[in-house]
């Protein structure tokens, strides 16, 4: 049984469940395209037992009224063709636009409000407010699909949601497309540039180390994470001081607090000791899409594309070279 894990950004900081547009990922991929219809599952696929974060969950028949209380899993459900089965999503699920957004909360799930949607399957990323046991009292199956700690977790959860909703073939197609895209990005990455980077979760500033899910995405491109040497980095999300970042002077700065907090090259320049950072002087401050950077579903490919583009640009320029 997989342990229940806290969401790698949102649940830790409570700042990255956002809406709007950013720069991350301009290339459409098969995995990110919402499906418009869901074919009926072959009769032999059910009942199915899923090894989820809350143990073995048996789903007797193909669910037709799915409630998602996780923005990541909402994206996945639509990507694998289960969109027509989704009747309600939480108030932070802003992608795709056609997702049936409601006032339901994934952070403070309310049993009565969920039951009112008459679900035959509920998908969550954390067992908050003992929602699994509470919904179990009214015989509503719940899948806990925890935050990914590595890419394989993402692939596994997509396949599990495909099996749970009767969209196994489409889920396998999505995962295959993601793996192909990620392998291509890894193969093309200019890993010999020895570039350093800082990934900002919020302007406190909190960062993510290489041991986190997001850090492992950066690792594909051979980047060195300045947060790895931060005090109290063992938890994966250290709070850095402005002085620490200034002294580390990263080649690239990636901002995942753009939509939430309006951060940019200009706002960074106002921080003590930051205006002369190499990343600012060489115009290597990359504004990510907060949502894509804080979720672990199919759109991680778009995040990787944004990082890869930035690395390629930085590696091609003369300004990022060090004396």
């Amino acid at each position: 049984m997989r342990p229940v894990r806290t969401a790698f950004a949102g649940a830790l900081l409570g700042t990255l469940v956002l809406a709007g547009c950013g720069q991350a990922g301009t290339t459409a991929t098969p995995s990110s395209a919402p499906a418009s219809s869901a074919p009926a599952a072959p009769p032999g696929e059910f009942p199915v037992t899923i090894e989820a974060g809350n143990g073995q969950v048996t789903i007797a028949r193909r669910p037709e009224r799915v409630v998602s209380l996780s923005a990541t899993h909402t994206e996945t459900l639509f990507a694998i063709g289960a969109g027509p089965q989704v009747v309600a999503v939480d108030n932070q699920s802003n992608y795709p636009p056609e997702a049936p957004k409601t006032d339901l909360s994934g952070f403070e799930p309310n049993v009565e409000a969920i039951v009112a949607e008459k679900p035959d399957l509920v998908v969550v990323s954390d067992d908050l407010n003992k929602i699994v046991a509470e919904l179990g009292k009214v015989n509503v199956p719940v899948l806990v699909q925890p935050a990914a700690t590595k890419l394989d977790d993402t692939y596994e959860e997509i396949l599990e949601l495909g099996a749970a909703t009767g969209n196994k073939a489409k889920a396998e197609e999505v995962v295959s497309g993601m793996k192909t895209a990620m392998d291509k990005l890894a193969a093309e990455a200019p890993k010999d540039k020895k570039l350093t980077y800082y990934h900002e979760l919020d302007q406190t500033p909190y960062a993510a180390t290489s041991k986190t899910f997001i850090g492992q995405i950066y690792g594909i491109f051979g980047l060195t994470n300045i947060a790895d040497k931060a005090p109290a980095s063992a938890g994966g999300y250290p709070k850095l001081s402005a002085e620490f970042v200034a002294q580390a002077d990263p080649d690239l700065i990636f901002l995942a607090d753009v939509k939430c907090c309006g951060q940019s090259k200009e706002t960074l320049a106002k921080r003590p000791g930051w205006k002369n950072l190499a990343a600012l002087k060489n115009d290597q401050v990359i504004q990510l899409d907060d949502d894509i950077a804080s979720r672990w579903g199919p759109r991680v490919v778009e995040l990787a594309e944004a990082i890869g583009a930035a690395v390629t640009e930085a590696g091609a320029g003369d300004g990022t070279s060090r004396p």
Side-chain angles (χ1 to χ4, degrees), residues 10-305:
L12 177 70
L13 303 174
T15 58
L16 300 182
V17 281
L18 312 154
C21 297
Q23 291 183 347
T26 57
T27 303
T29 65
S31 62
S32 63
S36 58
S37 61
E45 289 190 2
F46 290 89
V48 64
T49 298
I50 307 298
E51 189 71 32
N54 53 321
Q56 291 188 341
V57 179
T58 299
I59 302 170
R61 59 186 62 83
R62 183 179 189 268
E64 299 297 339
R65 297 188 62 82
V66 179
V67 170
S68 171
L69 299 183
S70 161
T72 293
H73 300 322
T74 296
E75 293 189 10
T76 296
L77 287 165
F78 276 81
I80 65 174
Q85 297 160 257
V86 178
V87 296
V89 301
D90 70 294
N91 54 11
Q92 302 299 334
S93 289
N94 54 11
Y95 185 88
E98 63 268 28
K101 190 174 180 179
T102 69
D103 292 331
L104 293 175
S105 172
F107 293 114
E108 297 181 359
N110 179 281
V111 175
E112 290 76 14
I114 297 170
V115 171
E117 299 292 343
K118 300 179 180 179
D120 48 17
L121 178 64
V122 175
V123 183
V124 300
S125 58
D126 290 284
D127 186 14
L128 300 175
N129 290 357
K130 299 181 179 179
I131 194 62
V132 173
E134 292 300 313
L135 287 174
K137 293 176 182 178
V138 290
N139 298 317
V140 176
V142 182
L143 283 181
V144 177
Q145 300 283 57
T149 61
K150 56 185 182 296
L151 264 175
D152 282 347
D153 291 343
T154 290
Y155 301 145
E156 182 181 6
E157 290 189 353
I158 292 172
L159 293 174
E160 288 174 349
L161 286 175
T165 61
N167 294 280
K168 183 178 178 181
K170 180 61 178 176
E172 290 173 348
E173 179 185 329
V174 168
V175 168
S176 177
M178 291 175 68
K179 288 182 176 180
T180 298
M182 296 299 283
D183 288 346
K184 184 174 185 291
L185 288 168
E188 295 174 347
K191 299 183 181 65
D192 59 338
K193 300 303 179 182
K194 298 182 180 180
L195 298 170
T196 60
Y197 80 96
Y198 160 57
H199 176 92
E200 180 167 290
L201 295 173
D202 75 2
Q203 70 272 34
T204 307
Y206 273 98
T209 70
S210 297
K211 293 182 179 180
T212 63
F213 177 87
I214 192 74
Q216 291 174 34
I217 301 298
Y218 282 101
I220 292 173
F221 302 95
L223 299 175
T224 298
N225 190 342
I226 67 166
D228 291 347
K229 295 183 178 180
S233 63
Y237 299 96
K239 181 178 180 180
L240 307 181
S241 66
E243 293 76 16
F244 178 89
V245 177
Q247 185 174 6
D249 195 12
D251 295 304
L252 302 110
I253 295 177
F254 295 87
L255 300 177
D257 51 359
V258 178
K259 292 186 292 186
C260 74
C261 316
Q263 297 305 293
S264 65
K265 175 183 174 182
E266 290 69 31
T267 63
L268 296 188
K270 296 178 182 178
R271 298 183 188 180
W274 285 36
K275 66 178 181 180
N276 291 319
L277 289 181
L280 275 69
K281 292 171 64 176
N282 297 320
D283 199 23
Q284 298 299 330
V285 176
I286 299 91
Q287 292 178 288
L288 299 173
D289 182 301
D290 300 25
D291 295 333
I292 295 175
S294 64
R295 298 172 187 173
W296 62 95
R299 290 200 292 169
V300 296
V301 172
E302 296 182 33
L303 173 62
E305 288 173 344

